[in-house]
């Protein structure tokens, strides 16, 4: 007797990821939770079993249909492993259907890595918070709460796997196209073996916020302006004919009510043309603040949803077989890459159940990407800022953190770049 497995369509933001993923850009991001004690693999495995029971959608595999990719439920059992690959190593393979996430550990760190088609940062963060909660409840029974527990009824599970793009799509709203000037692109030698270079800074939230508020800016606006200036420090006069464009992912859950653990994000673009807009930090920051104010509105976010959904809901596009769509999606991805210089993503404050804070030092997030990206999140007063890129040059992150240090902000720097250089020397 043939078993009929449940299947789910990819949400609209996820459709671009399978055809455009590669060994150079596997579309994988990592969340990490660093504890004050060494991770117990046995307890972590039990916590993972409990977590996947609450997130059954995460046991899906990705398959090709006639017209679109789709998720299919599986009986695969996720297993905890000690870290044995470089950060954000490829997960999805069209030739080898497998789970689209992995959980590994190294010393005091619990790592969750996710293929972006499965979820966005906030969706994956809900999974990680649940995982860490179950782990700490198992490791310290009675003193670390009982773990995060989601309702087990059908409606709650349906909300977790909901396609929120489809829920809020309004086909009658006009879609405005963004006029984009080709952005300045950062070039240079790449790290060997498609490795990802990471530089992580640990700072005080209060210290950074105090400086940002002096400039009447939010933390994200302040750091976005610092990133733009750090890119500019490495540009030549000829490079300045093009604008520096920073993409900023926006969590649409802040504008539309949903509990989905899948993708539900939009993108805004912050552009600064140094020849036209000025080259001082104040001029950059004012431009950033203006861009945030203009684009961060419910109307703009709804337009983003409609833009994503219009493609899938076009009758003619629906009828085109997937094998013909794939080259078009790849071209669209390549075109989009030419519209930005770098990216910055703020996952915001991470909260845990009472009694667990004493066991957790910090959370961090990083992403595999073809262009430089900064990701940040905070836990208590600890702000973790992670820079990731495949470039050999460390000019941008060093300039970025030096700029912050010039404000008198204390920074603890961690990096895997020296290790990558040693591995490269061994190969040579």
């Amino acid at each position: 007797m043939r078993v009929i497995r449940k299947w789910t369509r990819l949400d609209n933001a996820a459709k671009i990821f399978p055809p455009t993923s590669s060994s150079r850009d596997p579309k994988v991001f990592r969340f990490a939770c660093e504890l004050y004690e060494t991770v117990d693999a046995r307890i972590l495995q039990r916590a993972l079993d409990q977590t996947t029971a609450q997130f059954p959608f995460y046991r899906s595999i990705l398959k090709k249909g006639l017209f679109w990719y789709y998720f299919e439920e599986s009986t695969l059992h996720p297993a905890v492993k000690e870290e044995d690959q470089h950060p954000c190593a490829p997960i999805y393979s069209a030739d080898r259907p497998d789970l689209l996430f992995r959980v590994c550990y190294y010393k005091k760190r619990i790592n969750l890595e996710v293929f972006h088609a499965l979820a966005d940062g906030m969706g994956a963060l809900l999974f990680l918070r649940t995982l860490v909660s179950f782990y700490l409840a198992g490791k310290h029974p009675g003193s670390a709460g009982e773990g995060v527990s989601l309702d087990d009824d059908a409606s709650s599970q349906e909300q977790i796997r909901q396609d929120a793009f489809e829920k809020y799509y309004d086909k009658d709203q006009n879609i405005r196209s963004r006029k984009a000037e080709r952005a300045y692109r950062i070039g240079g030698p790449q790290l060997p073996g498609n490795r990802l270079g990471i530089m992580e800074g640990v700072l005080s939230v209060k210290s950074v916020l105090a400086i940002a508020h002096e400039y009447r800016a939010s933390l994200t606006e302040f750091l976005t302006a610092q990133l733009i200036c750090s890119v500019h420090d490495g540009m030549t006069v000829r490079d300045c004919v093009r604008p520096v464009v920073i993409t900023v992912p926006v969590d649409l859950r802040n504008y539309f009510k949903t509990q989905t653990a899948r993708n539900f994000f939009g993108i805004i673009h912050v552009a600064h043309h140094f020849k036209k807009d000025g080259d001082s930090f104040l001029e950059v920051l004012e431009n950033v603040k203006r861009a945030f104010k203009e684009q961060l509105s419910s109307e703009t976010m709804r337009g983003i949803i409609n833009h994503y959904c219009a493609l899938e809901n076009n009758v003619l596009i629906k009828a085109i077989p997937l094998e013909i769509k794939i080259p078009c999606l790849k071209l669209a991805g390549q075109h989009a890459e030419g519209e930005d210089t770098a990216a910055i993503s703020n996952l915001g404050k991470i909260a845990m159940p009472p009694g667990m804070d004493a066991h957790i030092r910090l959370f961090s997030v990083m992403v595999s990407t073809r262009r430089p990206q900064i990701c940040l999140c905070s836990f208590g007063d600890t702000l973790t800022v992670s820079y990731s890129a495949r470039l050999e040059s460390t000019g941008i992150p060093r300039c970025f953190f030096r700029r912050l240090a010039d404000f008198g902000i204390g920074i603890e720097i961690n990096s895997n770049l020296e290790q990558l250089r040693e591995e490269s020397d061994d190969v040579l």
Side-chain angles (χ1 to χ4, degrees), residues 266-293:
I267 297 288
I268 66 170
H269 298 80
V270 180
H272 189 86
H273 203 303
F274 283 92
K275 278 197 171 181
K276 299 176 183 177
D277 303 328
D279 60 3
S280 73
F281 174 71
L282 284 177
E283 288 170 314
V284 173
L285 181 58
E286 287 306 310
N287 199 16
V288 169
K289 289 160 65 175
R290 184 165 50 250
F292 271 64
K293 184 177 180 180

Side-chain angles (χ1 to χ4, degrees), residues 237-249:
V237 173
R238 294 188 305 277
D239 292 332
C240 292
V241 298
R242 296 198 183 279
V244 174
V245 182
I246 307 298
T247 60
V248 185

Side-chain angles (χ1 to χ4, degrees), residues 32-62:
C33 175
E34 184 175 319
L35 307 175
Y36 284 111
E37 59 191 352
T38 303
V39 174
D40 185 317
R42 180 182 58 84
I43 296 176
L44 183 58
Q45 181 63 60
R46 188 165 68 234
L48 179 57
D49 295 340
Q50 292 173 294
T51 303
T52 51
Q54 293 204 15
F55 292 79
F57 176 70
Y58 275 53
R59 291 199 296 264
S60 301
I61 59 175
L62 186 61

Side-chain angles (χ1 to χ4, degrees), residues 118-134:
L118 183 67
D120 62 12
M122 296 309 296
L125 180 57
L126 178 59
F127 186 98
L128 179 66
R129 288 174 58 238
T130 307
L131 173 67
V132 173
S133 296
F134 278 128

Side-chain angles (χ1 to χ4, degrees), residues 187-319:
Q190 304 276 306
L191 290 166
N194 294 315
R195 295 299 182 92
L196 189 66
I198 299 159
M199 190 174 290
E200 180 182 272
V202 181
L203 311 85
S204 162
V205 176
K206 293 178 182 177
S207 297
V208 181
L209 271 178
I211 302 297
H213 290 168
E214 286 181 13
Y215 287 93
R216 298 184 179 180
S218 70
L219 185 144
T220 307
E221 290 169 342
F222 177 72
L223 293 181
T224 300
Q226 294 292 354
L227 175 58
I228 291 173
C229 290
S230 299
V231 171
H232 179 243
D233 285 350
M235 296 171 68
T236 66
V237 173
R238 294 188 305 277
D239 292 332
C240 292
V241 298
R242 296 198 183 279
V244 174
V245 182
I246 307 298
T247 60
V248 185
V250 178
D251 181 15
L252 294 176
R253 297 168 185 81
N254 294 328
Y255 298 87
F256 305 95
K257 187 176 180 181
T258 179
Q259 295 179 23
T260 183
R262 299 173 63 185
N263 284 288
F264 195 46
F265 71 96
I267 297 288
I268 66 170
H269 298 80
V270 180
H272 189 86
H273 203 303
F274 283 92
K275 278 197 171 181
K276 299 176 183 177
D277 303 328
D279 60 3
S280 73
F281 174 71
L282 284 177
E283 288 170 314
V284 173
L285 181 58
E286 287 306 310
N287 199 16
V288 169
K289 289 160 65 175
R290 184 165 50 250
F292 271 64
K293 184 177 180 180
E294 290 173 353
Q295 297 182 61
L296 291 179
S297 68
S298 296
E299 181 182 358
T300 302
M301 295 303 116
R302 190 174 290 279
I304 289 172
I305 291 174
N306 291 335
H307 178 75
Y308 284 162
C309 293
L311 179 68
E312 183 188 15
N313 287 278
N314 183 295
V315 176
L316 294 176
I317 293 177
K318 276 184 177 181

